[in-house]
Every structure is written in C-alpha cells, then in structure tokens.
Amino acid sequence: MDFPAEAYRARLQRTQEEMAKHELPVLLLHQPENINYLSGLKDVAYFSYLALAVPSHGEPVLIVRDLEIPAAQITSWVKSHTIYADAADPLPVWLDTARRALDDLGLAGGRVGVDEHSWFLTVERWKMLQSLLPNATLVPEPRIVDRLRLIKSPREIEYQRSAARQVEVGMRAGIEAIAPGVTEREVAGAVYSALVNAGSGMPLDSVLISGERTKLPHGSPSDRKLERGDIVYFELDGIHKKYYARIIRSAVVGPASAEQQRIAETIIRIQDEAIAQMRPGTPANVIDRACREPLLASGLRKSYTVRAGYSLGLTHSPSAGEFIREFVPGVEWILEPGMVFHMLMLAGGMGFSETVLVTEHGPERLTTMERKLFSCI
C-alpha cells in the first residue's frame, strides 16, 4: 500500500464523522480517487464497475470484479469484498452487486449518499441502482472525501515533490530535443522516455504543440516538423503513486524575438506576483484578481475566461486535476496550509505554470525549474 493502514483508517474516521454531520448512514462511492484515498485500491480496470460502500460505523466494503481481487488483496487494507463475474448483460449484474453489499451491511433502505458528480456513476447506472433499491433514497453526498483530500498530509506532499522532480526531468528532455526539422512526436518520445526513466507514471496524454498548433489548448503531439521561430508549448505531468505535479513551459526554435521575450517576461512577472500572495487565510478571489486583472491590463489578452489555477493531488484519468477549488472570478473560499494548486497563465501562444503548495509561511513552489522562455538554438 502507498500509505500505512493507520493512515487509511484515520481518513475513514474523518469521513464517518462528516457522514454523521450530514445524517448519512452509508456512502456509495464511485470516484476512483476517493476509492483509492479511503481503501488504497489501485491498478484496477475502472471501465468495469467499481464502488466502495462506506457505512457510518464499521468497515467499508469494496464492490469489485472478481478478476480484480488480487489487486484488492495486495493494494488495499479493506478485507470485505462483494464481487461479480463478467456477464452477457453486465449492468444488472454490476448494480445488483452494489445492492447486495448494501443489504449485507443492513443499509439497503433509508438514505444512501451517492457521488453524483463522479465520472463513473453514469445516468444509466444511477437509474438501475435506484430501481434495485426500492426502499432506499439516493441522495447526493456533499463531496465529503473530495473535500478531505484538499489538505495534503506530509507524505502526500512528499509524493508530489517526487512527481515535481520527475516532470522537470521530462521537461528538460523535451526542450533539449527541440531542433528545426524534428517532429512534435519525436520531442514527445524524448519526454516520455525521460519521464519513465525518472520513475513517473504515465498520464493519459500530454500537451505538446508548436507553431500554429499552439491555438489548440490541449493538443497532442503530431507529426508536424518544427520550424525556426516556432513556439513550442509543453504541459507535462509527473506522477508518483497517483499524485500529480504539473508544469507548463514554452520554448522557441532558434533565438526568441524581442516580442516573444516581452510576452514571456510579462506573463512570468504577473504570475510571480500573484503566487507570492498565496498565503493561508487569503481569499481565493484576491489571488484570482492578481492573476487576471494585470494580464488583461497588459493587453496580452482581450479576455481571460479560463481558470487561473486549480487544486491538484491524487488524480486518476480521465480527470486532469482535483478541480475542487479553482481560481475563477467570484470564488469565496480561503487558502489553507496543505493545499496544492496548479497555477497557470497563458497568452500569445505561450504559457508558464507551477505546482504550488500553500504552507504556514506562504507559498512553496514544488516545481522549481527555471522560469523563462527557452531558446533552442
């Protein structure tokens, strides 16, 4: 397991305390990050049905495909499993297994908190679950585990530090591979090789775009050949035990023009000043304004509608972050020690970002690579 059993039990206790406040006898969780956070379970096929039943008292139960039992035994401290086998019509089998788990807990009636926000609780699954639990009332749970995940433990922070070191290795390898005539795909090969050799897990995809393709905000590497004067934009992840660190850097094929250098220096200066304000007790809207307003005033963007940052930590595909806390206009939450964010700023076909930890003493950049527009001559 990635954490001691005592750490998982402490997380379970905090979850159950929150459940009592909301008068929820049981949670039925489907979000992989939350299942992992409470049970430790990892390395399973999420395309099949997977859930964790969490009673307000006692031990949780994993609802899992029988093929995945070895993974459950190796990676999770949870010993109670309700299993199913593959079937010609899988949906009724999957959801009846959830019903059986709740019935075995004596909680198949009354209020059942479900994570309606989960990617993996589809409308189809939700409807069948409701039909199989006629005596239960399915209610949306108030993102209890998601909110607990916002404050990282010292060990979680160390995992993100490791991820930060890994992603910087990949970023340097990508920048070093830039040259006229090299394809984006060849640059990506250098990045991925470096990430794997540095110990990183592999993301679903990475953003690596150049030239006119920098208009694509989440473009994947293509066969496009780099040309002198191109901007090459990287958004890369390091992944250590499912904990992410993310970084954006931009480079120029050949020497940077005076205008390219001006844009990069303006972005970096504004973002540096905003990150410096990321202290405990600071309202999130203060940080958002510190990012958004100076960039708009600089004239580098006519509008700035995207988020300036978001919470980052334990992440499973297809999600790219926690997105529980975001820096957008009008937010009202407060920064707290132990929160980790991906802070990003984009303009003029280039961008820069850092993974930032909020500490008792202020912001700490977990990613520490040079903040500059790289010129690959």
Side-chain angles (χ1 to χ4, degrees), residues 128-150:
M128 181 158 288
L129 183 63
Q130 192 173 47
S131 70
L132 292 170
L133 295 169
N135 298 318
T137 302
L138 303 185
V139 298
E141 62 91 10
R143 304 195 71 166
I144 290 171
V145 183
D146 298 77
R147 296 178 190 280
L148 290 176
R149 285 170 39 214
L150 279 170

Side-chain angles (χ1 to χ4, degrees), residues 152-174:
K152 310 300 186 291
S153 71
R155 183 171 291 203
E156 288 179 293
I157 292 168
E158 286 308 309
Y159 288 170
Q160 290 191 270
R161 288 189 200 281
S162 295
R165 301 289 79 75
Q166 293 161 359
V167 73
E168 289 172 351
V169 171
M171 182 67 76
R172 292 185 188 283

Side-chain angles (χ1 to χ4, degrees), residues 118-362:
S118 172
W119 300 90
F120 296 86
L121 183 60
T122 64
V123 173
E124 183 182 43
R125 294 179 181 187
W126 186 89
K127 285 181 176 179
M128 181 158 288
L129 183 63
Q130 192 173 47
S131 70
L132 292 170
L133 295 169
N135 298 318
T137 302
L138 303 185
V139 298
E141 62 91 10
R143 304 195 71 166
I144 290 171
V145 183
D146 298 77
R147 296 178 190 280
L148 290 176
R149 285 170 39 214
L150 279 170
I151 307 300
K152 310 300 186 291
S153 71
R155 183 171 291 203
E156 288 179 293
I157 292 168
E158 286 308 309
Y159 288 170
Q160 290 191 270
R161 288 189 200 281
S162 295
R165 301 289 79 75
Q166 293 161 359
V167 73
E168 289 172 351
V169 171
M171 182 67 76
R172 292 185 188 283
I175 291 171
E176 290 171 3
I178 291 174
V182 173
T183 68
E184 292 176 350
R185 197 174 305 280
E186 289 170 325
V187 176
V191 169
Y192 293 145
S193 177
L195 284 172
V196 170
N197 289 331
S200 175
M202 294 305 296
L204 182 67
D205 211 342
S206 293
V207 179
L208 199 169
I209 46 183
S210 64
E212 286 295 306
R213 295 188 71 244
T214 57
K215 295 176 181 177
L216 304 174
H218 293 105
S220 300
S222 74
D223 292 320
R224 181 186 184 277
K225 292 184 178 181
L226 304 185
E227 301 175 3
R228 291 185 67 83
D230 279 347
I231 293 173
V232 184
Y233 173 101
F234 299 85
E235 181 173 356
L236 305 179
D237 296 305
I239 308 171
H240 187 72
K241 299 185 185 297
K242 301 293 186 182
Y243 282 81
Y244 276 54
R246 184 166 295 140
I247 190 172
I248 296 173
R249 288 294 185 270
S250 299
V252 178
V253 184
S257 68
E259 178 63 7
Q260 288 171 330
Q261 194 65 45
R262 182 189 74 83
I263 292 171
E265 290 175 356
T266 301
I267 295 171
I268 291 169
R269 174 182 55 78
I270 293 170
Q271 191 177 55
D272 281 344
E273 292 171 355
I275 290 174
Q277 298 180 51
M278 294 178 66
R279 298 181 173 277
T282 304
N285 58 63
V286 170
I287 306 302
D288 181 72
R289 288 197 300 271
C291 295
R292 200 170 304 274
E293 292 177 359
L295 191 64
L296 289 171
S298 74
L300 295 184
R301 293 185 67 116
K302 294 181 179 179
S303 64
Y304 198 9
T305 58
V306 300
R307 53 188 170 235
Y310 51 86
S311 55
L312 188 66
L314 176 63
T315 303
H316 288 65
S317 297
S319 182
E322 290 179 339
F323 305 125
I324 308 167
R325 292 286 184 266
E326 298 182 323
F327 293 96
V328 292
V331 291
E332 297 181 353
W333 52 274
I334 302 296
L335 274 70
E336 300 177 53
M339 289 181 167
V340 177
F341 298 96
H342 180 225
M343 303 301 297
L344 64 156
M345 191 166 287
L346 319 173
M350 64 184 74
F352 299 88
S353 80
E354 304 295 348
T355 299
V356 180
L357 166 69
V358 179
T359 78
E360 292 283 359
H361 306 291

